[in-house]
Amino acid sequence: MNYTTQMDAAKKGIITREMNIVARKEGMEAEKLRELIAEGKVVIPANKNHKSLNPEGIGEGLRTKINVNLGISKDCCSIEKELEKVRVAIEMKAEAIMDLSNYGKTENMRKRVIDMSTAMLGTVPMYDAIGFCDKELKDITVDEFFEVVEKHGQDGVDFITIHAGLNRETATAVKNNPRLTQIVSRGGSLLFAWMELNNRENPFYEYYDRLLDICEKYDITISLGDACRPGSLKDATDPAQIKELITLGELTKKAWERNVQVMIEGPGHMALNEIKANMLLEKKLCHGAPFYVLGPLVTDVAPGYDHITAAIGGTVAASSGADFLCYVTPAEHLRLPSLEDMKEGIIAFKIAAHAADIAKGIKGAVEWDNAMSKARADLDWETMFDLAIDGEKARRYRMESSPEDPETCTMCGKMCSMRTMKKILNNEDLNIK
């Protein structure tokens, strides 16, 4: 039986190769996974032209996944440095990479990432439009916007962020409800500017069926972008954000009618006490579609440490229903991240995702922690390093400060509680002096 997309196959009762791979990774019955994909509650972003892909699932009942943003800008345009980030991100087992290159002709960078990446790849075609068309934003035509999307599909991009919910009504809500930080979404601000400069409707909203044609053709997952995500605590859960979310729910159902897979993007900056309610709102208004969040950042006053503020919010968000976390690095709001910034962001969000998976009861999550605790009780340092999220750093810290007793560390020495209990319970000589 033929099928066009993973969702089309799922609705027809077909378990695809990608579904079988994801089911094995998640420890889930393939039939259960197929049902969730058919309902739109799980997506497997897998462009037909991404031949190196090792597929992953995102959504209900699955491990929380993380995404790594990278890409060139006009001020930092070394493709080789960004490709090194890709290599390291894959080594660190990030499930997704977004190439957010926004300078010049981005095709070369994008194709090289797709060729080498086993992780799913996302892009924001709007970032590419000016370089692709080689003209000012206001002069880009509707046809040219869709030509960019088609090109990304041809190249093998697995999911694309499209700010289709920023229609004229939502734009009016932005203007009628002034914000402290206005529209902080880069793609959203560009679309808002195009709409205002041309006095036109958002082409991705007005000609949404045309977008669905392209996505169905290549099996691209639409990541419905939140142009009105809050860029400050003050702007969270305001009329523009909620108006756009309602529209995204309507667009989700239209995509599902065409068997196009959908994720919903979310905030942003948000006080800790608002996160849980926002996760509930998204799941209700967008019919259980997987939720992809940036952070949320729970305070605005920690530049240089925003990987921490965002990981705190990401943990709460994922434990409350978010399925996919876009990492944030220490360089957020300050500069293009370095390789070391990227590493810190990945580790912070791997911790956030795993902590949330424990809270959600994801299969195998707490068992990992139990194995680490047993290794600690046994003073089995090698097993601890093997189980650590960042075993290299754990090993380095221990080696930098060697204890007198090799079983212990330099914090407690022979007064180590683990050592004491192990020896007493084994009827061994304690020998603390």
Side-chain angles (χ1 to χ4, degrees):
M1 190 182 296
N2 294 327
Y3 60 89
T4 55
T5 67
Q6 295 291 325
M7 179 175 247
D8 183 37
K11 287 180 180 178
K12 290 175 177 175
I14 300 170
I15 295 174
T16 65
R17 180 186 71 88
E18 290 80 9
M19 292 179 203
N20 274 319
I21 292 171
V22 170
R24 285 196 297 271
K25 288 181 178 181
E26 301 287 344
M28 176 181 283
E29 291 293 329
E31 176 59 23
K32 174 61 176 176
L33 181 65
R34 182 200 64 77
E35 291 174 359
L36 290 168
I37 294 169
E39 293 170 2
K41 294 178 179 177
V42 167
V43 298
I44 300 179
N47 187 308
K48 297 170 185 177
N49 293 334
H50 189 175
K51 305 303 183 185
S52 61
L53 178 68
N54 186 354
E56 295 282 356
I58 300 168
E60 184 178 304
L62 308 186
R63 288 178 297 107
T64 305
K65 307 305 187 300
I66 68 165
N67 170 71
V68 171
N69 288 340
L70 43 79
I72 60 171
S73 67
K74 185 173 184 180
D75 293 307
C76 300
C77 54
S78 171
I79 290 177
E80 294 307 320
K81 284 185 178 179
E82 297 308 298
L83 291 177
E84 176 61 16
K85 290 181 188 175
V86 173
R87 283 187 281 271
V88 172
I90 293 169
E91 287 175 5
M92 295 180 73
K93 300 181 180 179
E95 291 91 1
I97 292 169
M98 288 198 80
D99 176 9
L100 303 186
S101 296
N102 59 34
Y103 172 66
K105 304 295 183 182
T106 64
E107 180 181 359
N108 179 35
M109 166 84 179
R110 183 168 59 251
K111 283 187 171 181
R112 290 178 69 181
V113 175
I114 289 166
D115 287 344
M116 68 187 289
S117 179
T118 53
M120 54 187 149
L121 181 69
T123 60
V124 186
M126 191 68 195
Y127 295 174
D128 191 27
I130 294 173
F132 182 89
C133 300
D134 199 19
K135 57 170 66 173
E136 282 295 332
L137 175 66
K138 68 181 178 62
D139 298 323
I140 298 174
T141 67
V142 170
D143 286 343
E144 286 170 333
F145 279 129
F146 283 100
E147 286 171 14
V148 177
V149 175
E150 178 87 33
K151 181 61 179 145
H152 284 225
Q154 288 174 350
D155 289 346
V157 173
D158 302 299
F159 64 98
I160 52 173
T161 293
I162 300 289
H163 299 93
L166 181 63
N167 57 16
R168 296 298 290 271
E169 286 187 34
T170 305
T172 299
V174 172
K175 289 184 281 188
N176 289 345
N177 298 275
R179 299 173 127 201
L180 192 61
T181 49
Q182 302 304 331
I183 293 178
V184 299
S185 159
R186 183 164 56 191
S189 67
L190 291 172
L191 262 177
F192 181 88
W194 186 91
M195 292 161 64
E196 291 293 304
L197 290 168
N198 290 284
N199 194 27
R200 294 279 304 272
E201 179 59 277
N202 177 348
F204 295 115
Y205 178 80
E206 185 174 3
Y207 303 104
Y208 189 59
D209 283 333
R210 191 169 172 181
L211 176 65
L212 297 179
D213 288 341
I214 298 170
C215 292
E216 183 181 22
K217 181 178 178 181
Y218 300 102
D219 197 1
I220 306 170
T221 298
I222 301 178
S223 190
L224 285 171
D226 53 335
C228 297
R229 69 173 181 264
S232 61
L233 301 189
K234 178 72 165 59
D235 296 338
T237 325
D238 74 343
Q241 181 194 335
I242 302 306
K243 173 68 184 73
E244 183 180 35
L245 189 60
I246 292 170
T247 304
L248 297 184
E250 295 166 355
L251 295 175
T252 296
K253 294 183 82 170
K254 289 182 180 180
W256 287 348
E257 289 170 4
R258 295 284 303 277
N259 297 319
V260 172
Q261 300 183 102
V262 175
M263 298 187 290
I264 307 297
E265 296 189 11
H269 293 234
M270 182 168 287
L272 200 66
N273 59 300
E274 293 186 46
I275 295 174
K276 186 174 181 179
N278 269 261
M279 301 306 107
L280 177 63
L281 270 175
E282 184 278 339
K283 291 292 182 177
K284 287 284 189 181
L285 294 176
C286 297
H287 322 292
F291 201 14
Y292 175 26
V293 297
L294 177 72
L297 283 73
V298 295
T299 178
D300 298 334
V301 297
Y305 299 91
D306 277 331
H307 60 312
I308 298 174
T309 65
I312 292 168
T315 305
V316 176
S319 64
S320 303
D323 309 285
F324 191 23
L325 301 179
C326 186
Y327 92 151
V328 172
T329 78
E332 185 79 7
H333 302 114
L334 301 172
R335 59 171 167 80
L336 192 80
S338 68
L339 180 63
E340 289 306 311
D341 294 331
M342 183 194 78
K343 289 180 180 179
E344 288 193 52
I346 290 174
I347 294 297
F349 275 78
K350 285 173 76 74
I351 294 168
H354 178 62
D357 285 349
I358 294 169
K360 289 192 284 192
I362 297 298
K363 186 175 181 179
V366 76
E367 287 79 5
W368 182 7
D369 290 70
N370 291 342
M372 174 64 88
S373 295
K374 184 178 186 307
R376 285 188 174 134
D378 293 341
L379 296 171
D380 182 351
W381 293 95
E382 287 303 317
T383 298
M384 284 186 248
F385 300 147
D386 289 342
L387 289 169
I389 283 180
D390 186 354
E392 180 183 337
K393 183 175 184 178
R395 184 185 297 277
R396 174 167 55 84
Y397 269 38
R398 177 163 169 76
M399 296 303 292
E400 286 174 353
S401 184
S402 299
E404 176 188 357
D405 184 332
E407 276 196 320
T408 67
C409 76
T410 54
M411 171 68 80
C412 300
K414 288 185 177 181
M415 289 188 183
C416 169
S417 62
M418 298 297 186
R419 178 182 183 274
T420 298
M421 294 305 297
K422 183 180 178 183
K423 287 186 175 293
I424 291 296
L425 293 176
N426 288 337
N427 296 314
E428 298 175 11
D429 182 16
L430 193 54
N431 184 23
I432 290 179
K433 282 191 177 181

